[in-house]
Amino acid sequence: VRKHIKVEATAGTDEKRVEEIARGIVSEFQTDSDKGFKDKLEKHLANGSFPTSRVQEMLDKLKEELAQNMVQRIVFVNGAGEVKPLDGLMHPQVPQFAAWIMAGVPVWAWSAAGSGKTHMARQIAMLFEAAPYVVSVDPTLTVSKLMGYRNVANGDFVEGFAYRAFKEGGLFALDEIDTGDPGVIASANALLSNTHYLFPNNETVEKHPKFGVLAMANTCGLGAVAGYVARNKLDAATLDRFAIIKVNYDEGLESALACGFGSPGQPWKPGAPASEAQQRSYVDWVVKVRKQVGNSVLISPRASINGCKALRAGIPVKEVADALVWKLCTQDTITRIIDSCGNPPEA
């Protein structure tokens, strides 16, 4: 019946429910099977005994019920072969950001307003299997709030936002990070890239294996742009610690959230982990690019170190280059570098 009325069941649709709805439509034509359904429908339409509006009404009802009973089921397999399911509506890039964070690389997710970054943080934490610690950054954020401080009255340590996630594991998500004081944000640089951190209570804490970092912003960290005039330019040493990835609007997800029907785009999927030879080729290319650009663009060894972490997690080399090498380059600069050094080596 579904092939006659041309309603496609997307991945995750409840097939049994689709069949029930379709059988219900068939029953309205007083037939006990879907055999000859198309011919009956065309006959009724041809002689005017069955109004076109009624046909459209049935199809609209079918689509509405399909949408209400549709659940997108995502199975994310990371570079280590671990299967992590996540049900419900989600942005297609959620698995992408989760893959980077699982690889141990902090992610800077930026886009215009309304792309769903804050909601994505909690879904990424689910894939990461760690508690979400979402901090809303604003100009009043201080180093004390971020890292903790000693109470001058009694000497007790007051935990900062980062303490529990770093020590016990969690996704440390800094929302609207580009509205914060660049100096305060820079105070977290050591936390982002080191295996141990000395907190204000004189406790040296070893980074938990499940500590991940997600920064969310409306810019890529280079300062104010049209429409986002209150955004600050962050220090290059801070930006160097992140894979900077743009969050795209997804029209299918937008329709599903706004209208109750529609389906998000296909979720991002990792590829095969890179071999040692492929990682070496990538590092050689990064070094070549660094020598080419000199001091005009910061391309530190983190582009190699974090890049190989990502490659081992199955993240494609082009995406690695975009997020770590090209992230702060203009298109003209990228073109000149490729002309001199070539594209990043494909697997």
Side-chain angles (χ1 to χ4, degrees):
V1 175
R2 275 173 284 155
K3 72 177 182 292
H4 296 322
I5 58 179
K6 300 185 185 304
V7 175
E8 296 180 357
T10 60
T13 301
D14 188 334
E15 295 287 339
K16 184 177 180 180
R17 181 60 182 145
V18 172
E19 196 65 32
E20 289 175 359
I21 297 168
R23 291 288 179 184
I25 291 178
V26 171
S27 68
E28 294 198 41
F29 286 89
Q30 297 180 343
T31 176
D32 58 1
S33 75
D34 60 357
K35 182 175 173 35
F37 177 82
K38 184 178 180 182
D39 291 340
K40 279 182 175 291
L41 180 58
E42 290 178 346
K43 178 181 177 182
H44 282 295
L45 291 174
N47 63 23
S49 62
F50 197 84
T52 305
S53 59
R54 179 64 180 128
V55 177
Q56 188 60 53
E57 179 185 329
M58 287 194 302
L59 295 182
D60 288 344
K61 181 180 178 181
L62 174 60
K63 291 177 182 178
E64 181 181 348
E65 292 199 38
L66 282 174
Q68 290 174 350
N69 289 280
M70 183 186 299
V71 176
Q72 186 183 30
R73 302 188 188 281
I74 303 299
V75 176
F76 171 59
V77 183
N78 64 18
E82 299 170 316
V83 178
K84 300 179 183 294
L86 181 65
D87 289 344
L89 291 172
M90 61 179 288
H91 192 286
Q93 287 178 268
V94 167
Q96 177 187 17
F97 296 130
W100 278 93
I101 290 168
M102 289 177 191
V105 182
V107 171
W108 181 291
W110 71 281
S111 71
S115 61
K117 296 184 293 296
T118 306
H119 183 63
M120 288 171 62
R122 301 191 181 279
Q123 293 181 316
I124 292 167
M126 290 177 64
L127 284 179
F128 190 44
E129 296 181 334
Y133 292 84
V134 181
V135 178
S136 183
V137 177
D138 60 44
T140 68
L141 180 70
T142 63
V143 176
S144 296
K145 290 180 180 178
L146 201 58
M147 300 302 174
Y149 62 93
R150 280 195 176 277
N151 188 317
V152 295
N154 55 25
D156 291 344
F157 175 58
V158 179
E159 295 180 8
F161 295 128
Y163 178 78
R164 192 66 54 183
F166 192 84
K167 184 175 183 177
E168 299 180 0
L171 179 65
F172 185 47
L174 294 160
D175 197 13
E176 309 287 359
I177 189 172
D178 50 355
T179 64
D181 184 317
V184 172
I185 302 302
S187 70
N189 285 356
L191 188 87
L192 297 180
S193 55
N194 295 331
T195 58
H196 294 75
Y197 188 81
L198 177 63
F199 284 90
N201 61 344
N202 291 324
E203 179 186 7
T204 298
V205 177
E206 182 178 3
K207 181 171 69 175
H208 193 280
K210 281 289 185 180
F211 175 71
V213 179
L214 174 68
M216 295 168 283
N218 292 128
T219 70
C220 60
L222 294 180
V225 294
Y228 302 98
V229 297
R231 306 295 153 160
N232 296 317
K233 183 177 182 179
L234 274 75
D235 190 80
T238 299
L239 296 175
D240 186 49
R241 286 163 165 77
F242 290 93
I244 299 181
I245 304 172
K246 186 175 182 180
V247 183
N248 300 310
Y249 284 138
D250 181 63
E251 290 80 4
L253 178 60
E254 182 178 353
S255 177
L257 294 173
C259 308
F261 56 84
S263 179
Q266 288 298 311
W268 179 95
K269 296 179 181 178
S275 66
E276 290 184 6
Q278 290 163 350
Q279 294 174 58
R280 168 53 60 185
S281 294
Y282 168 76
V283 172
D284 291 343
W285 175 78
V286 171
V287 172
K288 186 178 180 181
V289 171
R290 183 186 303 126
K291 291 178 178 178
Q292 175 66 29
V293 300
N295 295 325
S296 61
V297 179
L298 176 60
I299 301 176
S300 80
R302 288 193 183 92
S304 296
I305 297 167
N306 287 337
C308 285
K309 289 179 181 177
L311 292 172
R312 289 192 291 271
I315 296 171
V317 68
K318 182 183 182 304
E319 183 178 318
V320 171
D322 288 341
L324 298 175
V325 180
W326 305 141
K327 59 185 180 182
L328 301 179
C329 295
T330 65
Q331 188 56 54
D332 287 344
T333 300
I334 294 173
T335 300
R336 287 198 302 271
I337 293 173
I338 290 176
D339 288 342
S340 301
C341 305
N343 284 298
E346 293 291 339

